[in-house]
Amino acid sequence: MADVVHIRPLLTIFIERNYMNKAEIKDNVLTENTAQSVYNHLQTLRKTPDSIYRWVWELLQNARDASKTSNTLTASINYRLGELVFLHNGRGFKEKEIGHLIFHGSTKTEDEGKIGQYGSGFLTTHLLSWAIDVSGQLDDGRWFDFCLERKPDCEVALRESMDEAWNNFNPSSSPICNNDFKTDEGFTTRFVYPIRTEEAQKAVEKGIVMLKECAPFVVVFNPEFAGININIDTEDCSEKLCFKVIERSPLDESGIEKITVAESNSEVRKYLLSQNDKASVTVLNSENSECLSLETIPRLFLGFPLVGTKSFSFPAVINSFKFSATSDREGVWLAKDEDEVTIENRNIIEEACVLLVDLVKYAVSKKWEHVHQWMKVPPIEDQKWLDTNWLRNCIRDNLVEKIRQTPVVLNIDNNAIAPKAARLPLLENDDEIEENGDEVEMLWDLLNNVQGFHETLPRRDEATAWCNTLQSWACLYEQAASKFDESFDGTQLAKYVHSISHDKTVEPETHRISQLNLKENIVAIHWLDSLIYFLQKSGLGGVIRQYWIVPSQEGFLRPLGRLSRDPGIDDDLKDIAELLDWRIRCQLRDSRLNSLTEVEGDETMNLDEVIKGLCEKLIARANQNPDHDFKVASTQLFAWIIHKEKWDLLQGFPMFTDNSKPNSSPVLRLPIADMGSRPLAPFRAWAKDLEQFSEVFPPELVLADAFFKALPSPDTWKMLDDEKKLRNK
């Protein structure tokens, strides 16, 4: 028995020592594994340039998870050169959470309402500084203050620094704060980051810029926040801002909510939010009920922005606490894998499309301006977490197709029409047009002056934006924007003029300007001039040559290729040509077209060739049918030649007499080179002393009196006679 009594204490000691060794080994192994995991993760973060900019969202996210009740959480970011301080007034830490904070990990799975809570995301804040001064209050009221340092030199150094932080975590036994950070706001947590490097300074400044952009959305999506403060005091900037929701009010039974966010600089922003149990969608509008674009705002939020989604192809901001984000919070899983996570994320995006359509309908019902801002879809960009084909189909089918059939386009009368029933002016290129693009407005003006187009056009000040919206939709359909029924570009307008200006059952010469279906107060030639100018400016010169839209001087429409440029041909010559059945005006483009002043046609009509052609036609008419038109043409062309002193053209020029002698032709040729039977001037052109001999000369050699009527000055005839004599010397 004595032996047994002595053996029992020894056995107990052995068992206890053995157990303690195992516990220490287990603790050492777990700590080493944690250190290795943290070290590897930090090395990965260091190699990922954008990770350093995530700090602001990780800190705010963890503050949100520590909120006590709705609209009570205040977070403050104070930045002065060399130091960044983050504070919040959420509930105090649990000691277990301090352990997770030091040794890495997350308690998120223990509380379904939390989205952050000191997991791997918090490690990104160490990129600002390896050493962080952590102080605050525990949930039992005690206060603490210790330095959390994660030395990046190696795994051993990292483990030692983590152990040191845990050993230095010694909460005071007093519920009274023993440090200097407690303020009237009742802050319970403080993180102080020494900012020692230029890279860290840049990261802080960029993070604050991102926060200014996104803070309104953060307080909209997270009702836990009473406000987010930003206090900056550096050499370059001194600024104080406070983002907070000052009003949440439902607008109607649709569930749409108006949210007003104020900043301390008196700026107020208004947001519309539509939500269901899966997601919420938010858009921005102004005090004047004008729909605004989101510009550089990330399009996906999981309470806080997923910073890699600024280019996500959606025209509003989607928030969902059911999103499954990528580990680096760059996006959400929407890849090709048909797993449960991807399917849930896809369902959220589809629901968001429905919510956005509701917002658009509401805005249009209230006649808000620039609703197109909420319908212009950003181009789809490749992302490792995104199946671009799926997203293209999703946005096309669930958003754009529904929008196209919904009255969302306000016309000049402020009536809403569906895009498919509208005529949206479109430029024929794939480039985005500036917001005040004058070319789109030029096209709008042209369309607006056509009868029947007025009610189908968008407002003029929104035409350019609708053009850009239409082009953004085309990317989803993988087709040219001109393929949409609602598009109306320069080529289509040219086709319209071509088709409406003539009856296809008759000859093309009936394509008259007068048949254009323009408004009463619109001058057709000026409208066509503007159309041609627009087509030229848009690079559509081929359209001008192809379609019957260019007016001739006769008032007919022809393709530019069939019209010549008028070098300045006298109207008298054109009138003479008409008498000889030469429709010269039908071959010349209208001289009132300023848009074509410097543009060559297929050819420029040469003045000398016109005159030569007139003479040839006059001779042909003299030989075939010297009728009344011939006589008028002969006298007018003769007078024009004399006035212009084009003497060479008189060689063989056909003229006529007043002779009525049977079987004799009244046509004479005017010889210049010899003194043959040269026609005599009309009697009234003779000198007074020669008139008495008029009966001596055969009347078939005396030019008709019509020539004297055309040239009634005797001096002109004398000059002509002198010119003949001079040429015959």
Side-chain angles (χ1 to χ4, degrees), residues 85-331:
V85 180
F86 176 79
L87 308 100
H88 71 74
N89 66 347
R91 61 166 180 78
F93 280 90
K94 298 176 182 179
E95 287 198 51
K96 185 178 181 180
E97 291 172 334
I98 296 293
H100 279 285
L101 180 65
I102 294 173
F103 291 107
H104 179 52
S106 176
T107 58
K108 177 180 178 180
T109 55
E110 298 175 8
D111 192 332
E112 189 176 341
K114 300 187 184 339
I115 57 176
Q117 200 55 28
Y118 307 112
S120 60
F122 184 76
L123 291 179
T124 61
T125 69
H126 273 288
L127 298 180
L128 299 178
S129 174
W130 298 117
I132 308 171
D133 181 61
V134 182
S135 54
Q137 189 176 35
L138 295 176
D139 57 354
D140 59 7
R142 293 179 297 157
W143 293 85
F144 64 88
D145 187 352
F146 68 94
C147 179
L148 173 57
E149 186 174 8
R150 290 190 168 103
K151 296 178 180 178
D153 304 334
C154 62
E155 296 175 22
V156 175
L158 181 59
R159 174 187 172 181
E160 291 175 351
S161 62
M162 291 165 59
D163 286 337
E164 183 179 354
W166 178 249
N167 293 332
N168 289 335
F169 168 60
N170 293 309
S172 66
S173 59
S174 170
I176 300 175
C177 179
N178 59 1
N179 58 36
D180 60 353
F181 88 88
K182 189 175 181 182
T183 63
D184 293 338
E185 286 86 355
F187 290 127
T188 57
T189 301
R190 179 179 73 171
F191 298 102
V192 180
Y193 295 82
I195 306 301
R196 302 288 188 246
T197 67
E198 184 178 344
E199 182 183 19
Q201 181 180 339
K202 179 181 177 183
V204 170
E205 292 171 353
K206 183 172 180 179
I208 290 176
V209 170
M210 294 169 61
L211 178 57
K212 290 179 182 179
E213 292 178 342
C214 298
F217 292 92
V218 171
V219 296
V220 165
F221 294 139
N222 298 275
E224 294 84 358
F225 282 99
I228 297 177
N229 301 323
I230 303 175
N231 302 309
I232 305 173
D233 186 12
T234 65
E235 293 179 357
D236 300 327
C237 179
S238 180
E239 187 175 24
K240 289 188 176 182
L241 299 173
C242 178
F243 296 89
K244 59 182 178 180
V245 172
I246 59 176
E247 181 187 13
R248 290 182 185 267
S249 59
L251 294 176
D252 55 20
E253 297 179 355
S254 65
I256 296 175
E257 189 177 11
K258 180 180 72 173
I259 302 174
T260 304
V261 178
E263 297 178 13
S264 56
N265 60 3
S266 301
E267 182 178 351
V268 174
R269 303 184 189 182
K270 293 184 177 294
Y271 300 81
L272 285 189
L273 182 142
S274 181
Q275 61 184 333
N276 57 25
D277 60 346
K278 281 184 177 292
S280 61
V281 171
T282 298
V283 288
L284 178 63
N285 62 291
S286 70
E287 283 286 330
N288 300 322
S289 297
E290 178 182 353
C291 304
L292 304 177
S293 66
L294 296 171
E295 298 178 347
T296 60
I297 303 298
R299 304 308 166 94
L300 302 182
F301 277 57
L302 202 171
F304 299 86
L306 303 176
V307 295
T309 64
K310 287 185 178 181
S311 60
F312 185 75
S313 186
F314 197 78
V317 174
I318 305 172
N319 178 65
S320 177
F321 293 103
K322 296 185 178 182
F323 270 142
S324 293
T326 59
S327 59
D328 55 7
R329 295 181 62 84
E330 288 291 301

Side-chain angles (χ1 to χ4, degrees), residues 463-532:
T464 298
W466 272 112
C467 174
N468 290 334
T469 299
L470 203 60
Q471 289 176 333
S472 77
W473 293 354
C475 296
L476 298 173
Y477 290 75
E478 298 182 285
Q479 66 179 31
S482 58
K483 298 295 183 182
F484 288 113
D485 294 337
E486 54 265 48
S487 71
F488 213 100
D489 57 29
T491 298
Q492 288 170 294
L493 182 55
K495 289 181 179 179
Y496 173 81
V497 173
H498 176 90
S499 64
I500 202 172
S501 63
H502 69 280
D503 183 349
K504 296 180 181 179
T505 63
V506 297
E507 292 299 319
E509 281 72 15
T510 59
H511 306 184
R512 299 197 66 94
I513 297 178
S514 59
Q515 293 171 289
L516 294 176
N517 191 24
L518 302 178
K519 292 181 179 178
E520 290 184 7
N521 60 335
I522 302 302
V523 179
I525 188 65
H526 295 162
W527 185 87
L528 287 168
D529 195 24
S530 297
L531 171 60
I532 294 168

Side-chain angles (χ1 to χ4, degrees), residues 668-708:
L668 301 173
R669 299 287 189 275
L670 188 61
I672 296 298
D674 56 59
M675 296 298 293
S677 56
R678 178 163 56 90
L680 301 177
F683 288 127
R684 286 199 292 168
W686 293 15
K688 291 293 184 182
D689 57 344
L690 296 178
E691 288 182 1
Q692 58 182 321
F693 302 107
S694 60
E695 294 181 0
V696 177
F697 295 91
E700 62 268 20
L701 295 179
V702 179
L703 294 178
D705 189 62
F707 289 96
F708 182 79

Side-chain angles (χ1 to χ4, degrees), residues 615 619 641 646-654 669-674 727:
C615 291
I619 292 172
I641 290 172
K646 300 281 187 179
W647 311 116
D648 292 343
L649 297 176
L650 294 178
Q651 177 65 40
F653 188 85
R669 299 287 189 275
L670 188 61
I672 296 298
D674 56 59
R727 285 175 173 266

Side-chain angles (χ1 to χ4, degrees), residues 55-66:
W55 64 268
V56 63
W57 309 122
E58 300 299 341
L59 292 175
L60 285 172
Q61 175 178 277
N62 290 329
R64 183 258 190 200
D65 289 339

